[in-house]
Amino acid sequence: MCVCPGPRRIGIPVRSSSLPLFSDAMPAPTQLFFPLIRNCELSRIYGTACYCHHKHLCCSSPYVTQSRLRYTPHPAYATFCRPKENWWQYTQGRRYASTPQKFYLTPPQVNSILKANEYSFKVPEFDGKNVSSILGFDSNQLPANAPIEDRRSAATCLQTRGMLLGVFDGHAGCACSQAVSERLFYYIAVSLLPHETLLEIENAVESGRALLPILQWHKHPNDYFSKEASKLYFNSLRTYWQELIDLNTGESTDIDVKEALINAFKRLDNDISLEAQVGDPNSFLNYLVLRVAFSGATACVAHVDGVDLHVANTGDSRAMLGVQEEDGSWSAVTLSNDHNAQNERELERLKLEHPKSEAKSVVKQDRLLGLLMPFRAFGDVKFKWSIDLQKRVIESGPDQLNDNEYTKFIPPNYHTPPYLTAEPEVTYHRLRPQDKFLVLATDGLWETMHRQDVVRIVGEYLTGMHHQQPIAVGGYKVTLGQMHGLLTERRTKMSSVFEDQNAATHLIRHAVGNNEFGTVDHERLSKMLSLPEELARMYRDDITIIVVQFNSHVVGAYQNQE
């Protein structure tokens, strides 16, 4: 039995030859994938009898590496969902003598899936206040979870200068990533406003006048806002700017962007926690704020103002700068650090924040308290609140929360909370003419591609050179027929069917469909996109990407002015 919320069950076919392996009424994606399963790949896919699509999994598959799951199974839960013993014997019970038929998605079907969530925005070179250093951006998402737990946001600051762009990776559901994607940019924008503008906004609210617009959002139609919670969110934001007015007497006019970003992240996370503790008379909102608080999200946000680039990162999404060298080659400059067990400074920080007696338990198996992969995140109050507060909120909350085994579960060795913070690490970079683009992406991309490959693929795509480079085979022995196939594939890609108009889409195509030669294999891409939602999460995570292209002429002009 599976005790996590929202289980997705996968049944193992029985050995009896009198029963069909799968029903004729299977969903279309499963029908597409059926030949792949039938052709002796079943043992690779069905690693367990039970799979849960949430990242706080209580059961795992041998095929899914633990690094792909935000929450590792706890021993108390794992016993409920052990794979069936000798399950592999059942996969060997039937042999098919007939010639297997292959059913793959057609190129138009592949493009339809890849381009369903793509969005592009071209920035006017002059917006009435200043010349923009951003030419535009492309973004896209490819879900693995159902529903997708990633979110993205992009907006222009209207009362100050600059643009905000961010990706948000949710875990234990999408509630927290959704809330952060809606709210964080408002907190950042308010933190950047001068004292006079804050006063003007507060006076407009007091007198019932129309408010000055703070942000201009650039959204895909699927990037929705929660209308039911808008009043609650506005009231929390107003309390924040009122406190900023009280703290700032108006004597200082300089705004520290790094400090504003840190304050905005921390304040939003504090408001998420406070709203869950206070509750709401509206039962829907009460359950919503609790879902937001008990789920979690990482965030990687860029603020671009002229040549000043700030990246604020909480968690394990990444920001990567694409730099074109003098010889035309591409190099990657990392502008964020992963907050996980691979970061020695993060490990040291965690150990210093807790007693020496917890040195061996605060991080176990490369996870916070043996459970959570990112060491910084929004929400996740299970790693921040005291045990008494958790029990009190759950007991007084709605039945859906009280009946949920995950929310009632207390992490092991939970002695000195909080163990988790949403405080971001902020990196500053002054743009140069050779800095051509910025890639913001959730870990679903970085798990499948090396940073240098990401930058090279985007750089060659943006400069139109990806069809002119010699084919690299990476040391593999390639026959003349294989090389002919690679050249034919390249020629096919240059047709209008395969031509991507969005850099993020192009990157996702490579992330999902690349073969050992570093080129997109349509057969592989078709198989991966044909996976039913129950299986997709076994192979990859949600992927969300924003590619920001810089205006080198404007950046160079800034340098010449100095």
Side-chain angles (χ1 to χ4, degrees), residues 453-474:
D453 292 330
V454 168
V455 166
R456 176 185 56 79
I457 288 169
V458 174
E460 291 175 357
Y461 168 81
L462 293 176
T463 55
M465 295 296 292
H466 53 297
H467 295 310
Q468 301 174 27
Q469 298 295 328
I471 291 179
V473 295

Side-chain angles (χ1 to χ4, degrees), residues 380-438:
D380 282 323
V381 294
K382 294 191 66 58
F383 298 88
K384 298 173 182 177
W385 288 356
S386 68
I387 294 176
D388 289 340
L389 178 57
Q390 290 188 44
K391 289 181 177 178
R392 188 165 65 249
V393 171
I394 291 171
E395 289 171 1
S396 62
D399 293 339
Q400 301 101 308
L401 191 73
N402 202 27
D403 294 340
N404 190 307
E405 292 294 333
Y406 166 70
T407 56
K408 291 193 294 185
F409 170 68
I410 302 297
N413 303 303
Y414 196 79
H415 306 299
T416 56
Y419 290 90
L420 192 66
T421 179
E423 180 174 343
E425 187 175 6
V426 180
T427 304
Y428 172 75
H429 178 81
R430 185 173 179 82
L431 291 174
R432 308 159 298 173
Q434 61 264 40
D435 300 331
K436 301 300 182 181
F437 59 88
L438 175 71

Side-chain angles (χ1 to χ4, degrees), residues 46-326:
Y46 284 100
T48 179
C50 178
Y51 172 72
C52 304
H53 77 287
H54 292 290
K55 288 186 181 177
H56 57 282
L57 297 182
C58 70
C59 48
S60 61
S61 163
Y63 188 75
V64 186
T65 61
Q66 290 292 338
S67 63
R68 293 197 184 184
L69 309 178
R70 289 301 176 92
Y71 286 96
T72 192
H74 186 263
Y77 288 165
T79 55
F80 288 106
C81 297
R82 295 188 186 279
K84 190 171 182 179
E85 293 183 7
N86 300 328
W87 63 271
W88 56 273
Q89 295 178 357
Y90 295 90
T91 68
Q92 307 299 322
R94 297 189 71 175
R95 300 293 183 185
Y96 292 86
S98 59
T99 303
Q101 296 180 354
K102 294 185 178 181
F103 297 98
Y104 299 122
L105 298 174
T106 64
Q109 288 173 326
V110 167
N111 284 341
S112 178
I113 294 171
L114 290 179
K115 298 182 178 184
N117 297 310
E118 70 176 13
Y119 178 82
S120 297
F121 179 75
K122 302 302 178 187
V123 178
E125 187 169 344
F126 183 72
D127 61 6
K129 292 185 293 186
N130 59 289
V131 178
S132 176
S133 58
I134 297 178
L135 284 172
F137 70 87
D138 295 332
S139 71
N140 202 351
Q141 293 183 299
L142 184 67
N145 292 290
I148 186 172
E149 294 178 340
D150 281 7
R151 294 294 186 271
R152 58 184 165 175
S153 293
T156 301
C157 299
L158 297 178
Q159 301 306 318
T160 56
R161 299 186 309 175
M163 281 191 70
L164 288 164
L165 307 107
V167 293
F168 311 94
D169 190 350
H171 46 267
C174 61
C176 190
S177 57
Q178 175 63 37
V180 174
S181 70
E182 293 181 32
R183 306 176 68 181
L184 182 58
F185 284 10
Y186 281 114
Y187 280 72
I188 295 173
V190 164
S191 301
L192 292 170
L193 290 177
H195 183 73
E196 296 77 12
T197 307
L198 289 173
L199 281 174
E200 187 176 349
I201 292 174
E202 175 60 21
N203 291 334
V205 175
E206 283 287 344
S207 61
R209 291 184 283 111
L211 289 177
L212 291 170
I214 298 176
L215 295 172
Q216 177 188 354
W217 292 93
H218 312 298
K219 300 191 302 178
H220 186 277
N222 293 343
D223 301 336
Y224 67 93
F225 275 22
S226 174
K227 295 180 180 179
E228 296 83 0
S230 59
K231 184 177 181 180
L232 172 68
Y233 292 169
F234 176 80
N235 289 337
S236 295
L237 180 65
R238 184 185 180 188
T239 302
Y240 178 45
W241 81 53
Q242 287 173 337
E243 292 179 13
L244 290 176
I245 291 172
D246 294 338
L247 290 172
N248 187 353
T249 59
E251 296 175 359
S252 175
T253 57
D254 294 332
I255 302 293
D256 186 325
V257 177
K258 178 178 179 179
E259 183 180 353
L261 289 167
I262 293 173
N263 290 340
F265 273 62
K266 293 170 65 176
R267 179 53 183 254
L268 174 56
D269 190 55
N270 182 74
D271 284 352
I272 288 172
S273 175
L274 187 61
E275 289 161 1
Q277 294 176 49
V278 173
D280 193 280
N282 182 303
S283 59
F284 174 82
L285 283 180
N286 191 40
Y287 186 45
L288 174 63
V289 296
L290 289 168
R291 284 174 53 222
V292 170
F294 276 90
S295 58
T298 66
C300 188
V301 173
H303 178 263
V304 186
D305 180 7
V307 293
D308 296 320
L309 169 61
H310 289 83
V311 174
N313 184 55
T314 290
D316 51 9
S317 295
R318 293 182 191 170
M320 204 68 61
L321 190 67
V323 180
Q324 190 170 33
E325 306 297 346
E326 291 184 0

